[in-house]
Every structure is written in structure tokens, then in C-alpha cells.
Amino acid sequence: MRIAIIEDELLAVNYLKDLLDQQSIVPITETVILRSKKQAIDFFETHSADLIFMDIHLGDGMSLDIFEHMELFTPVIFITAFDEYAMRVFRHFTIDYLLKPFEQDDLHQALQKFISIKGNFDPEPVLKSISTLYQTDNPEKMKRFMVREGNKLKSVDEHDTAYFFASGKYLFLTTNDNQTYIYDDTIKDIIHKLNPDRFFKINRKFIINKNAIIEIIKHSSQKIEVKLSPTPEINSDVFISKRQITEFLTWLKN
């Protein structure tokens, strides 16, 4: 059978694919990786799959938008890092979901459920439920972030995230207890997925949590430095971009 994974986080893709390769519940002949909503739409215009693993939030929008472009009659196991949103989706859909970070047993249970329903799967209630979700739900911002710790995935809560910083080709996440992890995203894209009340992009390299600020130093009206805790690994001072100063001060007051 052909499996399609619709997921924009490469770390999560590799983790799920490894677990699927190790299991023996369903025979898999091909695993298709689709990293965006657009890739998924282009693929399913001419191809099909026997089972889809679909992250709800993708870099280019909500994966549920895919159902607006085409009729998919394939069972879907949703993947999400959003507790409340996952529960609302689960109540609407008869297919299972995986809540990040999930373990091997969680995947096996979802596959067992797929086996039990695939023979009499009816897509009509699913399509109606998606329509209901569009009318009643507003997508939440990300509240947890998946990082790799050894050979496992770890979930870092937004409250425990001090800041994101870009260095070279990589984006890093630093926690309040001074642990730094590579995060599979770009600073340009991640800012749109974050809670704007909590996070602010102060320059091209840093997105900071309001709680990570310990001091603001005004060198001049056009040069403002921010002291962060923990101290960034990048060996340089952190300044607010000139274009961001007014907006930053407003954000800080609010």
C-alpha cells in the first residue's frame, strides 16, 4: 500500500517514516513525502494513496484547504501539536489522530484503527465535518515546538521557549533553561505561526519571547539593545532593527 505523509517539519517526517518502516501492522510498498499544501494538491490531482498522515498546520497554510481543492476519499490520520484543536478535529472525524510528540505505540494504535475501518470507510461524513470546521474554527497559533533529543522527539512549550535565532543555514530554539536545539523551519516562516502577543521578530536573526527580556538599553533613538536570558550563544549584542523599534515598543507595552 502507498502511504502519503503531508508534513512540513523534516524532523517529524523522518521520525514518522522511521516508525512506519519498523512496524509490521500494514504492508507499505511506497511512502510519499509532501512538504506543503501545494505539493499535496499537485500530487493528488494525478495520484492516490491508501492512507494519509496529515499535519493540520503547514508552512503554506492549513492542510484542510486541500479538501477545498479536491475530493479525497482516503482515510486520514491527522498529526498535530495543538491539544485543543486536535480534540475538536477528532470529535468531527472518525479517523484517528496523533498528538505530537507521539510514540511508537500511538502510531500502532492508529494503524490498528485504520485496519478496522478501512473496509467500510465512508468519506461523506468527513467532507461534511471539514465544512463545519471551516465555518466554526479559527486556527490556533503554535504552542509547542518539536525538537529532537537523542533518538526521540521532544515537545517544547511556548512558555519554556526563550527565543529563536538564525545562524548560518539553521534556525535554533533556546529554552529558558539554556538548552538549544536545531529547529526545522526558517525565521521568515516561523514568525507567522507564533503567538504575536508573546513573540516578536526584533531583527533578521532573532524572534524573542517577551519573558526572555531582562533589560532594554537605549543607546539612541535609533539604537536599542535587548539583553536576553539566557544569554544567546551568538557572540554579539542583540539590537532591535531600526524599522522595528516603534512596533517593538508598542508590543512591549501591550
Side-chain angles (χ1 to χ4, degrees):
M1 61 183 294
R2 175 188 282 166
I3 300 285
I5 300 175
I6 306 174
E7 167 68 77
D8 62 337
E9 295 183 12
L10 185 58
L11 191 66
V13 168
N14 292 335
Y15 178 73
L16 175 56
K17 189 175 185 304
D18 287 345
L19 292 183
L20 286 170
D21 290 341
Q22 295 168 20
Q23 60 81 40
S24 57
I25 298 171
V26 296
I28 300 175
T29 56
E30 182 183 5
T31 302
V32 179
I33 309 299
L34 305 167
R35 297 287 305 280
S36 68
K37 184 176 65 177
K38 182 180 184 305
Q39 283 186 8
I41 292 171
D42 291 344
F43 176 82
F44 285 111
E45 280 182 348
T46 55
H47 300 82
S48 62
D50 300 292
L51 175 63
I52 300 172
F53 289 87
M54 180 184 292
D55 194 350
I56 295 175
H57 294 257
L58 301 173
D60 59 345
M62 294 283 289
S63 63
L64 299 181
D65 292 340
I66 296 169
F67 294 92
E68 291 290 288
H69 290 267
M70 61 186 57
E71 290 186 334
L72 281 179
F73 301 110
T74 305
V76 177
I77 296 174
F78 284 99
I79 310 170
T80 181
F82 304 82
D83 287 4
E84 295 179 15
Y85 195 70
M87 292 305 296
R88 290 200 294 272
V89 171
F90 180 60
R91 280 195 290 267
H92 284 291
F93 291 89
T94 57
I95 316 303
D96 211 345
Y97 75 95
L98 295 173
L99 184 63
K100 298 178 181 178
F102 56 87
E103 300 288 343
Q104 187 177 55
D105 288 346
D106 301 317
L107 173 63
H108 288 182
Q109 290 176 17
L111 291 175
Q112 293 286 6
K113 184 172 182 180
F114 161 69
I115 290 175
S116 69
I117 61 98
K118 70 174 184 176
N120 55 2
F121 174 69
D122 181 6
E124 189 62 27
V126 176
L127 298 177
K128 288 182 179 179
S129 298
I130 290 172
S131 176
T132 302
L133 284 171
Y134 267 101
Q135 295 170 13
T136 60
D137 269 66
N138 292 317
E140 297 177 12
K141 295 294 185 179
M142 293 183 72
K143 294 181 179 180
R144 278 177 301 279
F145 313 102
M146 303 305 300
V147 297
R148 184 177 287 278
E149 188 174 55
N151 62 352
K152 290 188 175 183
L153 290 183
K154 177 181 179 180
S155 177
V156 179
D157 190 271
E158 63 172 355
H159 296 89
D160 300 320
T161 303
Y163 46 81
F164 296 86
F165 71 92
S167 180
K169 297 180 180 179
Y170 298 101
L171 179 66
F172 296 87
L173 180 156
T174 296
T175 61
N176 295 333
D177 59 354
N178 204 19
Q179 299 297 309
T180 297
Y181 306 92
I182 293 177
Y183 190 72
D184 181 38
D185 211 325
T186 65
I187 199 164
K188 181 179 69 174
D189 291 337
I190 189 67
I191 186 61
H192 302 296
K193 307 172 188 176
L194 302 175
N195 179 355
D197 294 330
R198 181 175 298 277
F199 292 95
F200 189 90
K201 182 173 178 287
I202 60 172
N203 56 39
R204 292 183 299 173
K205 291 188 174 181
F206 275 89
I207 297 174
I208 64 173
N209 189 325
K210 190 175 293 185
N211 294 336
I213 301 172
I214 57 174
E215 189 178 12
I216 298 174
I217 303 172
K218 189 173 183 180
H219 296 277
S220 69
S221 62
Q222 295 297 308
K223 191 174 183 181
I224 296 180
E225 181 182 353
V226 178
K227 295 292 185 181
L228 301 172
S229 177
T231 302
E233 294 181 3
I234 296 178
N235 188 23
S236 64
D237 297 328
V238 179
F239 289 91
I240 310 294
S241 169
K242 292 180 181 179
R243 295 182 302 172
Q244 300 290 86
I245 289 177
T246 301
E247 188 177 348
F248 169 76
L249 295 175
T250 301
W251 170 76
L252 203 60
K253 291 175 184 177
N254 294 335

